[in-house]
């Protein structure tokens, strides 16, 4: 299984671990959605994490190469719908970024409410400009919402890749913790957020983010159509 869920004290710990880069493909999306189903039914908050040294390397480029244009758009749709579910979902979601987060990996960070990163020699950023890819609308909309505006050009248009401290300054992350403490820190924050009144948290989260959510929903099937 490329993603698993474990619930303790009302906190769902969802872990991405495909043994490699935690690439986002149909299998990973399905596993994450199944984990979110369990979390939303049984927990009060979520921690989303990766494997040691790797949060996610982004979309599975091998899948992109083999799927053909229609398949690529279907995978982009699946990824966008996953982001919508996290960003607009009812539960608090805390990311424990365990290492490298590239491309779709950072868009998942954007979708989480609070992001704790692992201090160390890790790369975090959107590399589409480097690899010659057009940014999908969901990436642009989440970046506008979450990145420090002074970093938007550098991060998204120029494809700058940050270290964890720089990622905090840019807005990819909210704070850092040592590698052996990042998961515990995320669980502690999730525990605090789980104490907030759930109906108000869910309503406020969806209401504040409604414009962004609506623009991403409207882009499904046409991710590069401005």
């Amino acid at each position: 299984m490329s993603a698993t869920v474990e619930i303790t004290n009302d906190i769902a710990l969802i872990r991405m671990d495909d043994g490699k880069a935690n690439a986002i493909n149909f299998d990973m999306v399905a596993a994450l959605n199944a984990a979110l189903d369990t979390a939303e039914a049984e927990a009060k908050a979520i921690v989303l994490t990766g494997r040691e040294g790797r949060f996610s390397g982004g979309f599975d480029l091998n899948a992109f190469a083999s799927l053909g244009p229609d398949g690529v758009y279907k995978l982009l749709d699946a990824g966008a719908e996953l982001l919508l579910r996290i960003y607009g979902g009812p539960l608090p979601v805390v990311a424990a970024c365990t290492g490298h987060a590239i491309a779709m990996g950072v868009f998942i960070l954007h979708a989480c409410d609070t992001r704790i990163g692992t201090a160390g020699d890790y790369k975090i950023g959107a590399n589409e400009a480097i690899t010659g890819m057009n940014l999908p609308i969901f990436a642009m909309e989440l970046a506008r919402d979450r990145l420090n505006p002074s970093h938007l050009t550098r991060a998204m248009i120029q494809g700058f890749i940050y270290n964890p401290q720089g990622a905090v300054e840019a807005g990819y992350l909210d704070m850092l913790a040592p590698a052996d403490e990042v998961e515990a820190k995320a669980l502690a924050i999730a525990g605090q957020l789980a104490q907030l009144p759930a109906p108000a948290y869910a309503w406020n989260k969806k209401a504040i983010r409604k414009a962004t959510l609506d623009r991403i929903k409207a882009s499904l099937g046409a991710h590069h159509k401005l």
Side-chain angles (χ1 to χ4, degrees), residues 92-177:
V93 183
V94 180
C97 182
T98 46
H100 301 297
I102 299 295
M104 183 63 173
V106 294
F107 307 144
I108 294 173
L109 289 178
H110 283 329
C112 297
D113 300 343
T114 302
R115 295 81 46 90
I116 300 100
T118 300
D121 186 20
Y122 298 114
K123 296 179 180 180
I124 297 172
N127 66 347
E128 281 77 2
I130 298 169
T131 58
M133 298 176 67
N134 294 339
L135 288 164
I137 289 172
F138 61 75
M140 294 185 278
E141 293 299 333
L142 288 171
R144 287 192 187 102
D145 262 13
R146 303 308 302 272
L147 284 181
N148 180 334
S150 67
H151 282 261
L152 196 56
T153 293
R154 192 181 195 199
M156 301 303 290
I157 298 174
Q158 298 172 349
F160 187 81
I161 304 299
Y162 296 82
N163 62 23
Q165 185 58 53
V168 173
E169 296 170 6
Y172 285 120
L173 299 172
D174 296 303
M175 64 191 80
L176 299 180

Side-chain angles (χ1 to χ4, degrees), residues 54-108:
R54 178 75 68 175
F55 184 71
S56 172
F59 276 116
D60 187 338
L61 298 183
N62 290 327
F64 274 179
S66 63
L67 286 171
D70 288 344
V72 168
Y73 268 89
K74 287 179 181 178
L75 182 52
L76 286 172
D77 276 350
E81 288 168 348
L82 175 66
L83 295 173
L84 286 167
R85 183 172 188 181
I86 297 170
Y87 202 50
L91 298 184
V93 183
V94 180
C97 182
T98 46
H100 301 297
I102 299 295
M104 183 63 173
V106 294
F107 307 144
I108 294 173

Side-chain angles (χ1 to χ4, degrees), residues 4 6 8 11-17 46-52 54-55 94-99 115-119 176-191:
T4 58
E6 178 182 347
T8 305
I11 308 301
L13 177 63
I14 298 176
R15 188 182 307 280
M16 297 181 286
D17 187 357
I46 296 168
V47 170
L48 178 59
T49 191
R51 55 190 290 266
E52 184 178 354
R54 178 75 68 175
F55 184 71
V94 180
C97 182
T98 46
R115 295 81 46 90
I116 300 100
T118 300
L176 299 180
D180 60 351
E181 298 176 17
V182 66
E183 189 174 300
K185 179 75 170 176
L187 288 167
I189 291 174

